[in-house]
Structure formats: structure tokens, C-alpha cells
Amino acid sequence: MDSYSLLFLIGGVLLLVVGGSAATRGTMLSLSASKLSPLAGWGLLYGFLAALPELSMSLTANWYGMSTLALSVPIGSSIFNMLLVLGLAAVIRPVTLPDQFSHWPRLLLMLLLPSALAWALVSEFKIHAAGQVSSMSGAILLAVYMLLLLYLVVYLQKKSSKVSEEKAADTPTTSKTHKALLGTLWIALGVLLLGAGAVCTTVAAGRYAVASGASQEWLGLLLLAPLGGLPELVGMIALRVKKDDLSLLPNLMSSSATNLLFVIGLNALLMPMPRYQYVTADLLVLLIGNCLVMATIYIGKDRRTSRIEGSVLLLGYIAYAVFIVARQPLWANIAF
């Protein structure tokens, strides 16, 4: 990798980490100053913010004709979130599912619907999907995302706890205004940094792929997708430090749904988005992984993912990474 690309990659990673921290801080301040339910805030607001790197990466890659990167990044990042980030969080401390999502049809709607719909529309149930993701498929994905977002906002707000409302009522108005302003500024800063970091890392990966013959699929799934998942990783660490178990899983599910429905849908609607060779296999891995996450929640007591189950999710991600490396050479033409 030349020094120019390496500099872009390192700078992009730093921007993603700092941007993720800024978005996390902004979300915390905004929630403390508003009547928004913590679950709605972390599960919807931060879930969308955390998916901004994947959106920037995917749009940038598609614009420059790197279609494999454009499609593999949101898919790979969703797998990264649900297997590695959730698995690591559970290994640190068991993750409890909020009561608002304990009813299995609701969990099915948020966890399995996006991955199943993406598999159906992107791969069209074909083992070796060819051609392009149609603009009609993109429109359907976007429409479902908007409906899901509307449902969750209304539902989560109705289920917001009275304790949170009482705490918000006890906070002085001047303090609320100050926190809301600071939260907005931190979120705006986070958005700018996340977008800039995503563009830098995408440009670096694209230059490296062109110069060395490295596989776009490998770079998208095992480099850019985990980098796009850095905000979720930063948010997970922040929630673990605060011992906030209830907001973690909704955050990860919302980010994954945004990747699959909004990012892929918007890309397909704006410009042609060709499928890569193994897209069906990757979407099936995601669907199976989400089924495994749902199983870990309902196995045992207290609707939680234990340390042992978290270890299983982590091992699943490692096995998937090995599968990617085994199915396709890392470099078509070795050149450093």
C-alpha cells in the first residue's frame, strides 16, 4: 500500500473513532434533555447515526464504479454488528433484552424482517445472483424502512418509562436547553467526522484495490465493513461503561436494519448497483446469524445473551472471516 493510501486509511480510522465518540456523547446529552425514550434515542437516533459511515462508503464506492465494495460494506457491517459487537458485549457482561422487545413477534419484525427482505430482494433467491439490484427493489427496501421507523418511534414512545419522564420534568428548563444545544452540536460534529472518515477509508481501499489487484469483496467485507462498524463498537463500550444493557441490542438491530434497508435501498434507487458473486451466501450468513441471536435471547432465563452465547457469536464471526478468505484469493495480482 502506498504512503498516500495508508495516510488516508489511518486518517479515516481516526475520524471514524472520534466521530463515533462525538455521536455517542451527543446522543447522551440529547436524550437527557428531551422527552424521547432512551430506547427510541439509542435504538433509532444513534442506530441511524452509526450507519452513516456505511452509507458514505457505499455511495462513494458505487459512484467510483466499485460495485462490490458498495454492496458488501452494508452487508458485512450488519454481520459485524450482530455477531462480533454483540458477541463481545455479551462476553464482557451478559446483554439483557428490554421488556419492550421481549414479545417475539416484535423482535422478529426488527431483527429478522430486514435481513430476510434484503436476501429476498437483493439475491432474488438465486444461489449465484447476477445482474443488478433493481430500482424497484431499492424503493421497496426504503419504503419498508420508513414504515418500520415510524412504527418503532410511535411504539417506543408509548412504552417510555414514567421514571424517565419524571426525571426529565425535574430537570431545569435552562439545563435542558443547554444540554439540547450541546447534544445537537456534538451530533453535527459526529456526522461530519463519520462522513469524512468513511470517504477517506473508501478512497484508500479503492486505490489499494486498483494498484495491487486486491479483491474488492475481501476489502469490503473484512476491512471497510468492520471500520464502518466502529461507531457501534464505540457506542457498545460507552453503554457497557454506563452499565446500560437495555439500549445496546436495539441500537445494533436498528443500525443493521438501516444498513440493509436504507443504505442498499438508497444506492439501488440512485444508481445501478450490480450484485457480486457471493452476495447470496453473505446474506444467508446474516440471516442465520440473526436467527442465532434470537435463539440466544430465548434460551435460558431473563431474556438475555449470556457470556457463553456471546462466545458462540464471536466464534461465528471468526468462522465467517475464514470462509471469506477461503472462498476467494486475497489478491488477484500480488503487488505491494
Side-chain angles (χ1 to χ4, degrees), residues 226-243:
L227 290 179
L230 281 179
E232 288 88 342
L233 190 60
V234 170
M236 180 272 287
I237 294 172
L239 290 173
R240 296 282 87 183
V241 170
K242 289 174 63 66
K243 296 184 179 181

Side-chain angles (χ1 to χ4, degrees), residues 41-57:
W42 278 101
L44 299 175
L45 173 61
Y46 188 77
F48 180 81
L49 292 175
L52 286 178
E54 290 88 340
L55 178 62
S56 299
M57 289 176 180

Side-chain angles (χ1 to χ4, degrees), residues 77-129:
S77 184
S78 296
I79 297 173
F80 178 84
N81 291 341
M82 300 313 300
L83 295 184
L84 189 141
V85 177
L86 179 59
L88 182 60
V91 169
I92 295 173
R93 189 173 63 251
V95 177
T96 304
L97 181 71
D99 291 338
Q100 287 89 336
F101 291 98
S102 60
H103 193 43
W104 70 264
R106 204 161 291 120
L107 186 62
L108 191 72
L109 180 68
M110 194 168 180
L111 183 61
L112 295 187
L113 175 65
S115 52
L117 189 62
W119 175 63
L121 294 178
V122 174
S123 70
E124 295 182 341
F125 305 102
K126 297 175 182 177
I127 297 177
H128 297 290

